[in-house]
Each structure stands twice: as structure tokens, then as C-alpha cells.
């Protein structure tokens, strides 16, 4: 089978890596891909949001399956465009992906389906929004309705901060049209976790639970990033909690989407808060998490190409997914300054040393080739994933690998996975 991966980050390198391991995959393409993916297949210069361009490329190059990584491509209707030409796609349609690209749609669906989530209200005018903030008090969460490159969720610790957030989002349009409507919701106390389910629009299969580390600094402090590292399996979600999440959150969401005439096929990402009242939904996303994919897919025993093709045909596997009896940790190596401003073009040393390490993979996220050498080209540069028999081992191995990667002004968190360790010992 010929496959086309849409996207250019660490998640997409991981998808390409997982697909490449399948004996079913002959030719692999990526639009636009990155230097890590270029080692596995052919990268073509088409933007992930260019739905028609991607569909035409797939048709003209005999692609059998298009695997879509980023939310922006799903919102742009890549799956719809590809399927309209009779080509299979792994990912939800634009209408189904609204579960991610509109916080208003998603929260209203949760309320109507009885899915546990924080109390909320939706506003398109500033004054009523301000009054609601005064009524609820702080801490409080302000969310831009649309996609905002992962930055549209503002956790405000005081009423003044929330008022500033409303001004930023609604008046100054910090996130553009994403701020036309805002969701204001009660703050949830607890630890965050990421649970993913593969679904054909009806049945669901959960994947190994994981935890992201969104804030830039150790101890989960500082501004949020796209994610500074992840590990799996996450011990805070045991088997019975996972069953509970499936019954009270995932299955009602999948039924809810079908009922609304927009069956969700692909990966449903449940961003959860583990509160004293049980798991509650922070947000649904319509795709794999980044960097969670970098720890989940390397633990999967199943043939990912077969799985993704089956889902694209509306077919869940007939037997449970199988997983390596190992733990995986991914440490994101970033450009110093990220998530604020940073400089690109720093030469990256040490990648070949990682190639020689067993159970270690360097997933490219923000890299480019300059004069035949890898250089930094983004905030999150690499996701270094290591597998070992247990979480401690995978953390140690990941940091051993990260130590071999060098570039000017390199930054990474030194505590990835520690919150998992605290639950084990
Ligand atoms: N790990 C956060 C995200 O993928 O949105």
C-alpha cells in the first residue's frame, strides 16, 4: 500500500515511523514532512491545510491511505477532499473534527450527552463575559472558541487576569477569529492525563494512557507549550479508571457525534483532569497528541498501517490491541526561548549516536537541512523517545540519549515522567 502522511512535526514523524514498520507499506510520502520523515519516504512541498492539493497528489501518485496528523488539516477538510476522490483517509471529516476546532460545539455536546466536564458559559460579547467572570470568581479558565495553535486556553488565577484575558481574546483578537466566541469555565483541580481511543464511528478501543508535560519549566511551572515530554503507560489511570473513562466519556462522545450526523472516525483524544470527583474532560481533540504519539505508537505491537486502513474503511480490529510490556518516555529538546522567541539554524550534533542506541528514537519536530547538515527549525526541535522494562529505566535511557544531542541554546525539562514515578513508589 502507498501511504501519505500529512503534517511536519514530531507526531507526524512518529506516524511515519509506525507506518514504515508495516510490511504492507510500499511507498511513503509526506506533505510536507521533515528531515526525519525524509529518511523514511518522499517529502513533497504541500501545506497540510491545502486539502485539494493533498487530494490531487494522492490521486496522481496512487496513494491508498492518507494519514492526517494536525488539527489544522482536519479543520481544512483534508479527509473530506481525499475521500471525495475515493481514497481512504485515517482521521475525521471536517464536521466530525469540530469536536476540536470549536470549543463551543464540543462543550455543548458534552453538556447534552452528560459527559463530565467543568461548568461553562459561552459569550460573543465582552460585557456579559466580564459579568460571568465576576460571578464565578477565580481561578477561572477562558478559552478561545477556535483553533489557536494550542495557546487559546488561558488559566487565570485572579479576576483581573481573567479580565485581561477577555480583552486579549475578544477585543485585541490575540488569536484572530478563534476569539469571536469565548468559553468561560470553572477551574478544575487535579492532575491532567491524556487518553486516546481509536474509533470507527461506533466501536472504540482505548490506547495506553499517557501524560503530557505542557508547561515549559520543571515542576509544571511557567507558560504552556505544545508539550515538553510525555510518558506511557501512566499509572494514575489504572484499568478500572480506564474502563470508567471509556463508559462515561468516550462512548457517549462517539455516540453523540454519530447522533449529530457526524460520525467520528480516527483518534479521539480526551484531555482529562483527574479530579476528586473522578475524570472530567478538559477538551476533546480530533487527532493524536504531540508528544503523546511519540510514546504510544512505539509501544504498540499491532501493525499500525493495517489498523489505520481498517478504521478508514469503518472497521475496528476484531481482537484487542496488543502492547509491549515496556514503558516509554519522550523528552522534547527545544530551542532556548521557546515558547517565546528563539533563533533557528543551530547545527544539531549527536543524532548518529542515537541511531546506534537500542530502544531509542529521535523524532524530528523542528529541524531542517542546511548544506547537508541538520539544524534547528522550530521551538520543539526533537522528541527523544526511549523504551525500557519500566518507567524509571525509560526515563534514564531517554536522558542518556538527550545528553548526546547538542546544539546552541538547547533546552529541555529534566523531570519528564517524574509524576508517574511518584505514583509507583
Ligand atoms: N499534547 C498536547 C496536544 O497534542 O495538543
Amino acid at each position: 500500500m502507498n501511504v501519505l502522511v500529512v503534517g511536519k512535526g514530531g507526531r507526524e514523524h512518529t506516524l511515519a515511523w509506525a507506518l514504515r514498520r508495516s510490511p504492507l507499506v510500499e511507498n511513503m510520502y509526506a506533505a510536507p514532512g521533515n528531515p526525519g520523515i525524509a529518511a523514511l519516504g518522499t517529502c513533497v512541498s504541500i501545506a497540510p491545510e491545502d486539502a485539494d492539493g493533498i487530494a490531487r497528489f494522492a490521486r496522481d501518485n496512487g496513494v491508498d491511505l492518507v494519514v492526517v496528523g494536525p488539527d489544522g488539516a482536519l479543520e481544512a477538510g483534508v479527509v473530506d477532499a481525499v475521500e471525495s476522490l475515493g481514497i481512504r483517509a485515517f482521521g475525521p471529516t471536517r464536521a466530525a473534527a469540530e469536536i476540536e476546532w470549536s470549543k463551543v460545539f464540543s462543550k455543548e455536546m458534552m453538556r447534552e450527552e452528560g459527559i463530565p466536564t467543568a461548568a461553562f458559559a459561552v459569550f460573543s460579547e465582552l460585557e456579559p463575559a466580564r459579568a460571568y467572570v465576576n460571578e464565578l470568581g477565580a481561578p477561572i479558565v477562558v478559552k478561545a472558541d477556535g483553533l489557536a495553535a494550542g495557546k487559546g486556553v488561558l488559566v487565570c488565577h485572579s479576576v483581573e487576569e481573567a479580565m485581561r484575558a477577555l480583552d486579549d481574546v475578544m477585543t485585541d483578537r490575540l488569536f484572530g477569529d478563534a476569539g469571536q466566541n469565548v468559553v468561560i469555565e470553572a477551574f478544575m483541580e487535579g492532575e491532567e492525563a491524556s487518553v486516546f481511543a481509536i474509533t470507527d464511528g461506533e466501536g472504540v478501543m482505548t490506547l495506553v494512557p499517557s501524560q503530557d508535560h505542557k508547561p515549559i519549566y520543571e515542576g509544571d511551572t511557567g507558560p504552556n507549550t505544545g508539550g515538553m515530554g510525555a510518558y506511557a503507560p501512566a499509572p494514575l489511570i489504572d484499568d478500572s479508571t480506564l474502563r470508567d473513562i471509556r463508559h462515561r466519556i468516550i462512548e457517549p462522545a462517539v455516540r453523540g457525534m454519530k447522533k449529530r450526523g457526524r460520525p467520528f472516525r480516527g483518534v479521539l483524544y480526551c484531555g482529562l483532569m483527574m479530579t476528586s470527583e473522578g475524570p472530567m474532560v478538559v477538551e476533546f481533540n480530533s487527532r493524536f497528541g504531540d508528544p503523546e504519539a511519540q510514546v504510544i505508537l512505539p509501544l504498540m505491537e499491532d501493525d499500525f498501517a493495517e489498523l489505520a486502513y481498517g478504521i478508514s474503511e469503518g472497521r475496528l480490529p476484531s481482537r484487542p490491541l496488543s502492547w509491549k510490556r515496556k514503558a516509554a518516555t519522550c523528552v522534547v529538546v527545544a530551542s532556548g526561548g521557546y515558547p517565546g522567541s528563539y533563533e533557528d539554524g543551530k547545527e544539531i550534533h549527536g543524532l548518529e549516536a542515537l541511531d546506534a542506541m537500542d530502544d531509542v528514537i529521535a523524532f524530528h519536530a523542528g529541524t531542517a537541512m542546511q548544506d547537508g547538515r541538520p539544524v534547528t527549525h522550530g521551538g520543539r526541535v526533537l522528541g527523544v523517545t526511549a523504551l525500557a522494562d519500566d518507567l524509571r529505566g525509560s526515563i534514564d535511557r531517554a536522558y542518556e540519549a538527550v545528553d548526546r544531542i547538542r546544539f546552541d541554546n538547547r533546552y529541555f525539562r529534566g523531570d519528564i515522567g517524574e509524576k508517574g514515578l511518584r505514583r509507583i513508589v
Side-chain angles (χ1 to χ4, degrees):
M1 130 174 51
N2 298 330
V3 296
L4 167 62
V5 175
V6 176
K8 61 179 182 182
R11 168 185 47 215
E12 288 74 28
H13 187 183
T14 316
L15 290 165
W17 174 89
L19 290 162
R20 199 16 117 202
R21 291 162 69 80
S22 166
L24 300 173
V25 171
E26 284 165 46
N27 296 304
M28 176 179 298
Y29 303 98
N34 66 32
I37 302 175
L40 305 171
T42 306
C43 294
V44 291
S45 170
I46 306 175
E49 298 80 21
D50 179 359
D52 291 335
I54 287 168
R56 273 198 305 273
F57 178 87
R59 182 196 58 202
D60 296 346
N61 290 276
V63 168
D64 303 289
L65 177 68
V66 177
V67 177
V68 185
D71 43 10
L74 296 166
E75 185 190 15
V78 167
V79 169
D80 310 62
V82 165
E83 288 184 341
S84 75
L85 298 184
I87 300 163
R88 300 275 178 221
F90 178 69
T93 59
R94 174 179 153 76
E98 191 167 1
I99 199 167
E100 173 164 8
W101 59 257
S102 167
K103 304 286 174 234
V104 173
F105 172 84
S106 185
K107 291 289 290 191
E108 285 175 348
M109 191 271 288
M110 286 186 242
R111 176 152 61 195
E112 285 157 23
E113 299 302 325
I115 296 171
T117 189
F120 73 99
V122 179
F123 299 94
S124 55
E125 304 285 340
L126 186 60
E127 281 318 312
R130 291 172 71 93
Y132 188 68
V133 165
N134 274 323
E135 185 189 322
L136 233 58
I140 190 166
V141 181
V142 174
K143 291 180 172 176
D145 179 34
L147 295 182
K151 295 182 186 149
V153 176
L154 303 166
V155 178
C156 306
H157 299 281
S158 66
V159 167
E160 295 69 41
E161 202 183 330
M163 295 302 182
R164 275 197 304 277
L166 287 177
D167 283 339
D168 286 348
V169 176
M170 300 185 85
T171 312
D172 299 341
R173 291 297 170 93
L174 187 60
F175 308 117
D177 286 348
Q180 218 152 359
N181 293 307
V182 294
V183 173
I184 301 179
E185 64 178 38
F187 178 79
M188 291 185 280
E189 193 81 57
E191 213 175 312
E192 281 195 56
S194 307
V195 170
F196 297 84
I198 301 258
T199 169
D200 59 0
E202 292 196 22
V204 302
M205 281 182 166
T206 50
L207 311 187
V208 281
S210 58
Q211 265 192 306
D212 188 7
H213 298 64
K214 291 204 180 92
I216 185 74
Y217 302 128
E218 285 160 20
D220 281 342
T221 55
N224 269 352
T225 67
M228 293 302 294
Y231 74 93
L236 90 162
I237 300 192
D238 59 19
D239 288 350
S240 96
T241 310
L242 189 58
R243 274 196 299 278
D244 182 48
I245 291 167
R246 180 188 168 124
H247 291 137
R248 293 197 306 124
I249 292 173
I250 300 171
E251 287 170 352
V254 169
R255 273 198 306 273
M257 294 302 286
K258 187 175 176 209
K259 197 161 88 189
R260 284 164 181 73
R262 30 180 116 194
F264 186 99
R265 280 215 296 254
V267 177
L268 182 64
Y269 170 162
C270 311
L272 302 172
M273 191 64 81
M274 308 306 288
T275 74
S276 54
E277 289 152 50
M280 296 178 81
V281 178
V282 177
E283 63 184 4
F284 282 121
N285 293 322
S286 52
R287 53 174 171 87
F288 267 115
D290 187 345
E292 293 96 322
Q294 285 89 311
V295 290
I296 293 172
L297 287 170
L299 289 173
M300 187 182 271
E301 295 271 26
D302 298 82
D303 182 321
F304 181 63
E306 190 181 352
L307 175 66
Y309 194 81
I311 293 293
S312 76
E313 288 188 310
R315 223 176 358 94
L316 265 190
S318 49
R319 50 191 164 72
L321 297 175
S322 58
W323 301 94
K324 295 192 174 106
R325 299 179 74 81
K326 288 185 177 247
T329 298
C330 172
V331 177
V332 169
V333 187
S335 299
Y338 172 77
S341 57
Y342 54 82
E343 280 178 27
D344 281 340
K346 311 287 184 197
E347 186 171 348
I348 304 167
H349 302 275
L351 282 168
E352 54 306 317
L354 268 59
D355 287 343
M357 290 177 78
D358 286 338
D359 281 339
V360 169
I361 318 153
F363 291 117
H364 290 232
T367 68
M369 295 304 282
Q370 215 171 64
D371 302 326
R373 298 205 176 98
V375 296
T376 63
H377 191 67
R380 293 191 293 173
V381 176
L382 294 167
V384 176
T385 294
L387 269 60
D389 289 341
D390 58 19
L391 179 56
R392 175 81 267 168
S394 72
I395 294 171
D396 291 347
R397 186 83 172 143
Y399 281 109
E400 196 188 319
V402 164
D403 269 349
R404 299 183 185 192
I405 296 288
R406 303 270 161 205
F407 56 84
D408 283 351
N409 216 6
R410 170 193 76 155
Y411 173 78
F412 58 88
R413 274 180 60 166
D415 64 346
I416 302 302
E418 273 179 20
K419 48 191 169 189
L421 285 182
R422 281 198 291 277
R423 295 203 170 247
I424 296 171
V425 288

